[in-house]
Amino acid sequence: MDKAHKLSPNGETRKDYKLVTFADGDPENPKNWSKLFKWYITMVVAITCFVVAFCSSVITADVPGVSESFNVSHEAALVPISVFVVGFGVGPMIFAPLSEVYGRRIIYGSTLLVAVVFIIPCAVAKNIGTLIVCRAIDGIAFSAPMTLVGGTLADLWRNEERGVPMAAFSAAPFIGPAIGPLIGGFLSDAAGWRWLYWIQLIFAFVVWVLITFTVPETYAPTILARRAKKLRKQTGDSGHVTEAELDPRPFSQRLGVFLIRPFQLLFRELIVLLISLYMSVLYGLLYMFFVAYPIIFEVRKGYSSGITGLMFIPVAIGVILSAACAPLVNKHYLKLVLKHNGRPPAEVRLIPMMISCWFIPIGLFIFAWTSYPHLIWVGPCLAGLPVGFGFIFLYNAANNYLVDSYQHQAASALAAKTFIRSFWGAGVVLFTEQMYDRMGDQWASTFLAFLALACCAIPFLFWKYGAKIRQRSKYAFGEDDTELEKGREQQLVDPNSPLHEDLEDLERARSYVANP
């Protein structure tokens, strides 16, 4: 336990505080828990992430069923998919800072419970309005686990241990959307579209029970705050405080910074804007598949929903293979770290991106020109393999590049990317069918392939000009890391320091960098 001083606005010391921290080998520190228990928590939160992603896509298996039941247009029946994805973009802006005030566990438990409850009205809905409203609420609620998983892993694992757990987690958000139409196709064929919601309810309830009753709090500041409160009660000494409790700013002020800064970066920083647009295009392609696959395999080839769901298997395999390669990418990066004496330029993060970006357009070109109704299913089916393989490489590389470029404001840069990505992914679902009808199956997919191909220029652009762009930026990180550490010491002494918000943003980014 260290001593810290809190300064009044005029710079005079007001009181000595006993800073409550973890000691070496402290059993309450999540990083000191047994590897078996840490792996259990890792798998629970990864499965939760999978379930959330599964819930986002499973209902795409029977959109016509909703349209017929409520006598609405096909476009209206797609809206429940869109509003769910919009929720993915809105929720993190609120739940990320809330988790840093109240801890991870209560946010996990409360939001998952809300999500479970609002799945029920979807399953028994009597009109499309009920379905849309409840899916929107579910999207916002389900976004919390997706936001917090990366932070939970950062709570549990030290930097040198985190590679494999992060790889295991990274695959979950992409396998879920691939498995959703597979299970949903056979289930809707057998029992109708309402069972697509009952299966969500079952899965979501199981992970809610696991998280709520078997996963303890992992966020260190919350654990330390409870310890400080206990010490104050036991000793009667109000001087026992945590670092977070030395922050005099109200939560509303901290939330305001988190809400405004992402938009400042998005519209003022070329790196954030272009990377966000690239990730939005990829996210949109993923959700376009949920509409394009039924067009190609059900409408054109006459397959059932269940058989169409099988066509997503190569996408899942590609994702798994990509996740399996993640430790190799990390190993290569560590070599570059040594080569640059521990301070590699941010652009080295673009190397996996420059290699993997080609897989997306390759897969789309194959999908486009093998999707004729008279051709065998093998071509468009296997086209999902390179697409799935490219996704994780691109997302992780983009996240890491943003963090390294905007270290002190990295969480805001990631939030900007997530926000625009989710709205784009929600929008493309609504016009994909019209695009295929008007352009034709082959040219619609080819257009997407050329779009992905054009985006391949982005990592190469930043490889050449990224350093110059960052030098001229007022937001990009250009100071030595030791200044941040000095700033942290200053933060303990003076919570009103202008570095306070930057340090807070950096810590948030370190927690959420792996969130796809």
Side-chain angles (χ1 to χ4, degrees):
M1 186 179 300
D2 302 319
K3 281 193 175 182
H5 302 281
K6 188 174 182 180
L7 299 188
S8 60
N10 61 12
E12 297 177 354
T13 302
R14 293 192 330 201
K15 184 174 181 178
D16 285 337
Y17 285 94
K18 301 178 182 68
L19 193 63
V20 178
T21 59
F22 286 129
D24 291 339
D26 196 319
E28 291 190 22
N29 185 346
K31 288 183 171 62
N32 295 328
W33 295 348
S34 71
K35 278 197 173 181
L36 181 62
F37 189 47
K38 289 195 289 186
W39 266 110
Y40 170 76
I41 296 174
T42 298
M43 295 312 298
V44 168
V45 295
I47 291 171
T48 302
C49 204
F50 164 83
V51 169
V52 172
F54 171 87
C55 292
S56 74
S57 66
V58 67
I59 67 168
T60 63
D62 194 8
V63 174
V66 176
S67 179
E68 293 172 9
S69 294
F70 298 139
N71 194 27
V72 296
S73 67
H74 189 79
E75 290 74 16
L78 288 170
V79 173
I81 302 171
S82 293
V83 294
F84 189 94
V85 181
V86 168
F88 271 16
V90 174
M93 308 290 279
I94 301 170
F95 296 129
L98 279 178
S99 72
E100 294 167 5
V101 176
Y102 301 108
R104 318 267 193 223
R105 191 166 181 256
I106 189 171
I107 303 298
Y108 272 126
S110 58
T111 56
L112 277 173
L113 180 60
V114 170
V116 168
V117 169
F118 277 90
I119 291 173
I120 299 173
C122 293
V124 298
K126 301 299 182 184
N127 54 69
I128 192 67
T130 301
L131 205 57
I132 292 172
V133 171
C134 292
R135 280 290 285 182
I137 295 172
D138 269 337
I140 295 171
F142 270 133
S143 72
M146 295 287 276
T147 303
L148 302 185
V149 170
T152 299
L153 298 190
D155 295 340
L156 294 171
W157 302 96
R158 293 178 172 83
N159 290 340
E160 63 273 15
E161 303 174 320
R162 205 176 297 158
V164 177
M166 282 296 188
F169 151 67
S170 296
F174 294 102
I175 296 176
I179 298 299
L182 171 59
I183 295 177
F186 286 106
L187 189 59
S188 64
D189 284 344
W193 67 267
R194 293 187 185 275
W195 263 96
L196 300 180
Y197 289 98
W198 293 123
I199 191 71
Q200 291 179 56
L201 180 66
I202 294 168
F203 285 178
F205 180 75
V206 169
V207 295
W208 173 74
V209 170
L210 290 175
I211 286 242
T212 303
F213 298 104
T214 69
V215 174
E217 179 59 64
T218 62
Y219 190 49
T222 300
I223 297 172
L224 291 172
R226 291 172 182 170
R227 178 183 289 184
K229 183 179 180 180
K230 184 177 180 181
L231 286 171
R232 289 194 294 267
K233 184 176 180 180
Q234 288 177 344
T235 63
D237 184 356
S238 62
H240 293 284
V241 296
T242 65
E243 180 182 330
E245 289 170 333
L246 292 175
D247 186 354
R249 297 174 303 158
F251 174 66
S252 58
Q253 181 181 344
R254 294 163 62 191
L255 181 61
V257 170
F258 190 69
L259 290 174
I260 294 171
R261 186 181 288 173
F263 296 101
Q264 293 175 326
L265 292 173
L266 182 62
F267 296 112
R268 295 181 182 177
E269 289 296 300
L270 183 63
I271 291 176
V272 178
L273 177 63
L274 290 183
I275 292 293
S276 298
L277 289 176
Y278 191 7
M279 295 302 102
S280 298
V281 168
L282 295 181
Y283 201 65
L285 291 175
L286 181 64
Y287 277 88
M288 278 182 169
F289 273 9
F290 301 145
V291 181
Y293 270 49
I295 292 173
I296 299 301
F297 294 108
E298 287 185 47
V299 178
R300 308 294 191 250
K301 294 183 182 295
Y303 294 170
S304 67
S305 297
I307 299 300
T308 299
L310 292 174
M311 301 299 113
F312 284 91
I313 290 178
V315 178
I317 294 174
V319 169
I320 294 170
L321 291 175
S322 181
C325 294
L328 298 177
V329 175
N330 187 59
K331 187 176 180 180
H332 177 258
Y333 176 73
L334 293 177
K335 289 181 180 179
L336 295 175
V337 170
L338 293 175
K339 181 180 178 181
H340 291 87
N341 298 316
R343 294 192 53 76
E347 281 65 40
V348 301
R349 294 289 196 179
L350 295 169
I351 295 175
M353 206 173 185
M354 291 188 291
I355 296 172
S356 60
C357 65
W358 307 104
F359 287 97
I360 307 293
I362 287 172
L364 288 171
F365 278 123
I366 295 173
F367 182 78
W369 296 103
T370 60
S371 60
Y372 287 101
H374 62 275
L375 294 180
I376 194 171
W377 56 269
V378 174
C381 177
L382 293 184
L385 184 64
V387 173
F389 185 80
F391 270 125
I392 290 183
F393 275 124
L394 288 169
Y395 267 91
N396 286 349
N399 284 348
N400 285 320
Y401 183 54
L402 287 177
V403 168
D404 285 6
S405 297
Y406 300 89
Q407 288 190 29
H408 56 314
Q409 301 187 36
S412 296
L414 293 175
K417 182 210 69 173
T418 301
F419 185 81
I420 189 173
R421 180 197 75 182
S422 297
F423 274 85
W424 175 250
V428 297
V429 173
L430 301 177
F431 64 75
T432 300
E433 187 173 356
Q434 292 90 330
M435 184 175 71
Y436 271 78
D437 286 342
R438 294 180 183 180
M439 296 181 68
D441 298 345
Q442 286 68 48
W443 283 108
S445 297
T446 300
F447 169 75
L448 300 178
F450 276 121
L451 187 61
L453 187 62
C455 289
C456 289
I458 292 175
F460 291 91
L461 172 70
F462 290 136
W463 176 263
K464 186 173 182 179
Y465 300 108
K468 293 180 181 178
I469 293 172
R470 287 187 287 111
Q471 285 174 0
R472 297 177 181 178
S473 167
K474 63 177 288 189
Y475 293 101
F477 184 71
E479 297 177 355
D480 192 275
D481 273 342
T482 55
E483 294 300 316
L484 273 182
E485 296 307 319
K486 292 177 183 177
R488 173 165 288 286
E489 295 174 6
Q490 181 183 356
Q491 175 187 350
L492 291 178
V493 176
D494 182 9
N496 295 308
S497 163
L499 286 174
H500 189 102
E501 291 173 359
D502 290 344
L503 286 158
E504 188 178 68
D505 206 284
L506 172 60
E507 292 303 320
R508 186 182 297 117
R510 285 172 174 167
S511 294
Y512 303 124
V513 65
N515 185 35

